[in-house]
Amino acid sequence: MTIPASFIQELIARADVVEIVGRYVQLKKAGANFMGLCPFHGEKSPSFSVSPSKQFYHCFGCGAHGNAIGFLMEHAGMGFVEAVHDLAGQYGLQVPEDDASPEERARAAGQRQKQATLSEVLEKAGEAYRRQLRQSKTAVGYLKGRGLSGEIARRFGIGYAPPGWRTLASVFPDYDDPLLAESGLVIAGEAEENGEGKRYDRFRDRIMFPIRNVKGECIGFGGRVLGDEKPKYLNSPETPVFSKGRELYGLYEARTAFREKGYALVTEGYMDVVALTQLGFPNAVATLGTACTTDHVQKLFRFTESVVFSFDGDAAGRRAARKALEGALPYATDVRSVKFLFLPAEHDPDSFIREFGSEAFARFVGEATPLSRFMVEVAREGCDLGAAEGRARMASNARPLWAALPDGALKRQLLTEIAEMVQLTGPELAELWQPTAGGRSPGAGPRERRDGHAYPQEGRRARAPRPPARGRTLPPGRADVAARLLLSNMAEWEALPHELHALLCELPGEHGQLFAWLDSQLHEHGVLPWAALREGLRGLDFEGLALRAMTGPDGEPIPDPRGDEAAEAARELRNVLDFMLDDRLKVQQSEAIAAVGSDPHALERYKALEIRRLELRARLHPR
């Protein structure tokens, strides 16, 4: 679906960023702007500024910035299209869809209406369950026995489904409404001879945990029995608004705590999340009775760069950890941290903290097993490294795990580590794995000459040179790197001097066109997030160049840099531009030398250029 750039610009202009941000952050007037505590990092003194005149927010502490759409994406974890639809709905606007047929538009509108209707039904049921909890001494006693306070129960909207078969009939006058079955609240049996089917409540005599999406809307429930009946936990079925393979319990409540704590803690159950929040770990979430999937991991990395998976130390916990490892590997880039925490078999997080204290648990989390070490442990399990067969088996086990990693320093280091364990060199193991690994691992195989062929390795017979593999991606040039850094953080363009603006805009071909367009966007609309720039690029000649620049080696979009990462990206940009400027000055020097015979000022120009190049080289190569 394509959303016209003109509509996005109209939406940003119409939206009141103070109103949007103010729904999530307490703001106070401070001169021409509003100030509050930043929702993207923990702070005690307000450094988060929202400008009603510029329709822009900026944190002077962590560097977070953007417009109303960007705020919904960053704070609520929405995708760009979802944020646009959400914001448009708040202002009564219909989102146009350039490339959708009337039938597709009608179908999409119907789907959105169905989702909204189902969420309303689920919210109404949640309110009824909370009323029932207040009236049930048994349910309240159970929660108190588990150490939960009334405050924490209110925070998570915990309720109670009574034992009756048709309790919800008193909540929904039309108990035969198909929406009750479609939402998963009611089970409709097969039709009997009279044409009517038996209908009854899915959840009975259970503590009810509402499952919310990132916008805070109820999309399903998890129910836990008060005793030892089976099944202990019961989730809502798959519905148009709920898929347990993609949702995480507690994500809505924990997303701000991810930034404050610095990581997401993934546990195995609802009670773990609620108890951990009460005991000082509000950054906990849980999978919904299913193994951790790549969808779960991808969703978590929209909010944090560090994830810790917590499992029981028994065999079942180790199996669950292996599943989580497989889900995490494709997203384990060099700037992300994934760890695995294995508690003693007799403890869950709640019991561990109550026995040993929060500090001991935090220390345990800090000492959790890094993904790299756990991956190696999984690969070598059951392998006798004292025998050639055992080492070969480990290499075979490690191959698919290593291949799933995105390219980068971590992947290269693991190749070397695994090679040492199986008594091979890095190049030998890379050659062995080459068919599956998708070609020679960068930095792992033989050195290449400038003509693209490989030098013979020491101690080996020289092989006939082979042409480079087809489809090999060329490394990005400096102009590509500059494009990535400026598209992911447009504010840096505004800070560049005119000379560098001219240098980039005058580049030949698509690069120059892209930077000239970026300059025009800044003048017309101010600083925009990549998502808005992406929409404005559609159909332009240099759209492909921008998309390549903003796509990582693993095929995932490159996220906007934040905090220390943003500062590092700014330094990288200055460094790249210094090299590009040095190249330009070198060309100008050559032109000055060529003009010495005909231009009396050419030599002076050459000397001035040399002074500038010396200054640049001193900055690029400090001693």
Side-chain angles (χ1 to χ4, degrees), residues 217-434:
E217 300 166 337
C218 184
I219 56 175
F221 290 96
R224 192 199 190 284
V225 296
L226 278 67
D228 296 322
E229 296 85 5
K230 302 295 182 183
K232 182 184 291 187
Y233 287 99
L234 181 65
N235 290 320
S236 290
E238 299 284 310
T239 72
V241 295
F242 175 67
S243 172
K244 66 181 180 180
R246 291 197 297 268
E247 302 298 338
L248 290 157
Y249 177 70
L251 180 62
Y252 172 73
E253 293 81 3
R255 65 200 196 290
T256 300
F258 291 165
R259 300 183 177 97
E260 294 171 353
K261 290 286 187 178
Y263 66 97
L265 180 62
V266 184
T267 61
E268 296 188 83
Y270 307 102
M271 290 300 298
D272 285 337
V273 172
V274 177
L276 280 168
T277 299
Q278 181 167 310
L279 294 170
F281 294 87
N283 54 324
V285 297
T287 54
L288 299 168
T290 185
C292 185
T293 66
T294 54
D295 286 333
H296 289 138
V297 177
Q298 184 179 29
K299 183 166 286 191
L300 285 168
F301 279 131
R302 290 165 65 178
F303 295 92
T304 180
E305 294 300 315
S306 182
V307 176
V308 178
F309 293 100
S310 174
F311 299 99
D312 295 339
D314 56 13
R318 301 288 292 192
R319 287 194 297 271
R322 289 193 194 96
K323 289 290 186 182
L325 173 68
E326 292 170 3
L329 283 170
Y331 300 99
T333 64
D334 293 345
V335 297
R336 291 171 176 166
S337 169
V338 179
K339 292 184 177 181
F340 296 83
L341 172 67
F342 296 100
L343 292 169
E346 67 275 14
H347 282 293
D348 58 23
D350 182 14
S351 65
F352 185 94
I353 293 174
R354 294 187 188 279
E355 181 169 343
F356 300 105
S358 296
E359 291 185 6
F361 185 75
R363 188 165 57 252
F364 215 55
V365 169
E367 296 169 356
T369 305
L371 174 141
S372 57
R373 194 191 316 159
F374 184 53
M375 186 190 112
V376 171
E377 288 176 6
V378 169
R380 70 174 294 176
E381 189 171 314
C383 301
D384 178 9
L385 299 189
E389 292 83 355
R391 294 192 294 273
R393 181 181 176 186
M394 179 185 171
S396 178
N397 292 344
R399 186 181 191 175
L401 300 174
W402 180 86
L405 283 166
D407 192 25
L410 176 63
K411 187 171 188 176
R412 298 184 188 192
Q413 291 178 78
L414 278 170
L415 180 74
T416 302
E417 183 177 338
I418 295 167
E420 290 176 353
M421 295 181 72
V422 299
Q423 296 185 16
L424 293 172
T425 65
E428 286 173 333
L429 188 59
E431 183 180 2
L432 182 67
W433 283 353
Q434 186 169 339

Side-chain angles (χ1 to χ4, degrees), residues 133 139-156 158-159 207-209 224 233 249 270-279 350 354:
L133 176 64
V140 170
Y142 171 81
L143 292 177
K144 287 184 176 179
R146 295 295 300 264
L148 299 184
S149 66
E151 180 184 350
I152 209 72
R154 283 190 294 274
R155 174 173 177 172
F156 284 89
I158 296 174
I207 299 294
M208 298 297 288
F209 299 86
R224 192 199 190 284
Y233 287 99
Y249 177 70
Y270 307 102
M271 290 300 298
D272 285 337
V273 172
V274 177
L276 280 168
T277 299
Q278 181 167 310
L279 294 170
D350 182 14
R354 294 187 188 279

Side-chain angles (χ1 to χ4, degrees), residues 166-186:
R166 293 169 65 95
T167 301
L168 289 177
S170 63
V171 180
F172 299 95
D174 184 7
Y175 192 70
D176 292 329
D177 188 340
L179 285 172
L180 295 181
E182 194 170 356
S183 65
L185 293 170
V186 166

